[in-house]
Amino acid sequence: ETVKLGLHVSFTGSLTFDNARKVQEAFIALPMDRVMAETDGPYLAPVPVRGKRNEPKYVRHVIEKMAALRNMDADEVAEAFTHLRQSGKVLHFGVSNHTPSQFELLASRLDFQLVTNEVQFSVLYLDTWYDGSLDLCQKRRISPLAWGPLGRGALFQGNSERILRMREVLKQTGEALGGAPIDQVALAWVLQHPARIIPILGTGVPAEMRSSVQAERLILSRQQWFTIWERSRFPRIFSA
């Protein structure tokens, strides 16, 4: 009925939610020339920043979800990015959770450089290190954004053998650095990766933000840095 009336339908961050199947089905049923993406800030922040204050810069996650739902090819996505750039609506583009091959494919269709890839990375999540995502960012000299840099809260609340082991090594490292708490040590570890990662903090609590900023002042030795990596990567070696 909306299309018959000549109207457009706009989708917000709710399109990215796992439980938004009906919304996603409605999007798929609509012709693309009747679809719009909007921020609807400060509400309905999309995945992977759900729960944070919504801002215009997050609308790219909605667009990326649209592309995934429609199985749009790289040429279609590149055309949409180029149109938005030429119209002055977006100055720089990055992507989220792209594998190295997906990033390279889209980049090959653009006349301008993608400025970042937002990926999950922390002392508890190393997949994007081993799949080449961080290597690709170094190759292209772009700084990746890291969501979940503190393990999405698991670092403080989880009780698995691996998490307990990581808390212990972070605590020991913090003590050696003058009593730094484990959250600062975990963030400092991410910051000192050679890819020059920019962590995305999932908090709006002033005290937590102040603590996180202190991580920039911590300088881990190479031995400390690799010890943390080893404890996360090779649990069998260090399980007593």
Side-chain angles (χ1 to χ4, degrees), residues 104-208:
E104 290 279 39
L105 174 61
L106 179 57
S108 71
R109 300 297 198 272
L110 296 169
D111 295 328
F112 48 89
Q113 180 169 302
L114 294 170
V115 298
T116 192
N117 187 13
E118 182 180 1
V119 297
Q120 184 178 2
F121 185 70
S122 71
V123 296
L124 294 176
Y125 190 89
L126 306 176
D127 290 18
T128 44
W129 184 349
Y130 299 116
D131 71 4
S133 294
L134 300 183
D135 292 338
L136 178 60
C137 288
Q138 290 189 75
K139 176 183 177 182
R140 287 183 165 269
R141 299 186 184 279
I142 61 175
S143 293
L145 303 178
W147 63 273
L150 295 176
R152 305 176 68 181
L155 192 59
F156 311 103
Q157 301 171 1
N159 56 9
S160 69
E161 189 275 335
R162 180 173 180 242
I163 290 175
L164 294 176
R165 183 176 65 249
M166 292 309 300
R167 279 195 205 128
E168 182 60 26
V169 70
L170 292 172
K171 179 181 177 182
Q172 291 173 355
T173 305
E175 290 173 350
L177 293 172
I182 65 172
D183 63 315
Q184 292 181 14
V185 178
L187 285 174
W189 185 85
V190 171
L191 287 167
Q192 288 182 221
H193 189 282
R196 299 183 179 180
I197 299 168
I198 302 173
I200 299 177
L201 303 178
T203 180
V205 179
E208 294 178 354

Side-chain angles (χ1 to χ4, degrees), residues 16-227:
T16 68
F17 299 168
D18 291 337
N19 61 353
R21 174 48 51 188
K22 290 185 177 180
V23 176
Q24 294 169 2
E25 290 175 351
F27 163 73
I28 293 172
L30 287 167
M32 284 301 295
D33 61 355
R34 293 296 179 180
V35 167
M36 298 178 64
E38 66 170 295
T39 303
D40 197 27
Y43 311 108
L44 298 175
V47 175
V49 291
R50 187 175 182 180
K52 298 180 65 175
R53 177 185 173 85
N54 203 1
E55 299 180 20
K57 63 183 178 180
Y58 297 142
V59 75
R60 73 179 189 274
H61 299 302
V62 180
I63 296 173
E64 289 167 1
K65 185 64 175 181
M66 288 178 169
L69 289 171
R70 289 296 186 102
N71 293 317
M72 295 174 66
D73 63 31
D75 290 318
E76 291 179 298
V77 176
E79 182 181 354
F81 279 15
T82 300
H83 173 72
L84 289 170
R85 190 169 187 263
Q86 291 177 344
S87 64
K89 295 179 180 178
V90 182
L91 183 60
H92 299 292
F93 286 88
V95 293
S96 178
N97 299 315
H98 275 43
T99 64
S101 59
Q102 290 171 335
F103 189 99
E104 290 279 39
L105 174 61
L106 179 57
S108 71
R109 300 297 198 272
L110 296 169
D111 295 328
F112 48 89
Q113 180 169 302
L114 294 170
V115 298
T116 192
N117 187 13
E118 182 180 1
V119 297
Q120 184 178 2
F121 185 70
S122 71
V123 296
L124 294 176
Y125 190 89
L126 306 176
D127 290 18
T128 44
W129 184 349
Y130 299 116
D131 71 4
S133 294
L134 300 183
D135 292 338
L136 178 60
C137 288
Q138 290 189 75
K139 176 183 177 182
R140 287 183 165 269
R141 299 186 184 279
I142 61 175
S143 293
L145 303 178
W147 63 273
L150 295 176
R152 305 176 68 181
L155 192 59
F156 311 103
Q157 301 171 1
N159 56 9
S160 69
E161 189 275 335
R162 180 173 180 242
I163 290 175
L164 294 176
R165 183 176 65 249
M166 292 309 300
R167 279 195 205 128
E168 182 60 26
V169 70
L170 292 172
K171 179 181 177 182
Q172 291 173 355
T173 305
E175 290 173 350
L177 293 172
I182 65 172
D183 63 315
Q184 292 181 14
V185 178
L187 285 174
W189 185 85
V190 171
L191 287 167
Q192 288 182 221
H193 189 282
R196 299 183 179 180
I197 299 168
I198 302 173
I200 299 177
L201 303 178
T203 180
V205 179
E208 294 178 354
M209 290 190 289
R210 285 193 292 269
S211 178
S212 296
V213 169
Q214 297 303 312
E216 289 187 304
R217 303 182 181 181
L218 296 181
I219 304 298
L220 279 65
S221 69
R222 290 195 174 184
Q223 183 60 54
Q224 290 171 327
W225 197 93
F226 277 103
T227 296

Side-chain angles (χ1 to χ4, degrees), residues 9-20:
V9 180
S10 186
F11 291 87
T12 66
S14 61
L15 183 72
T16 68
F17 299 168
D18 291 337
N19 61 353

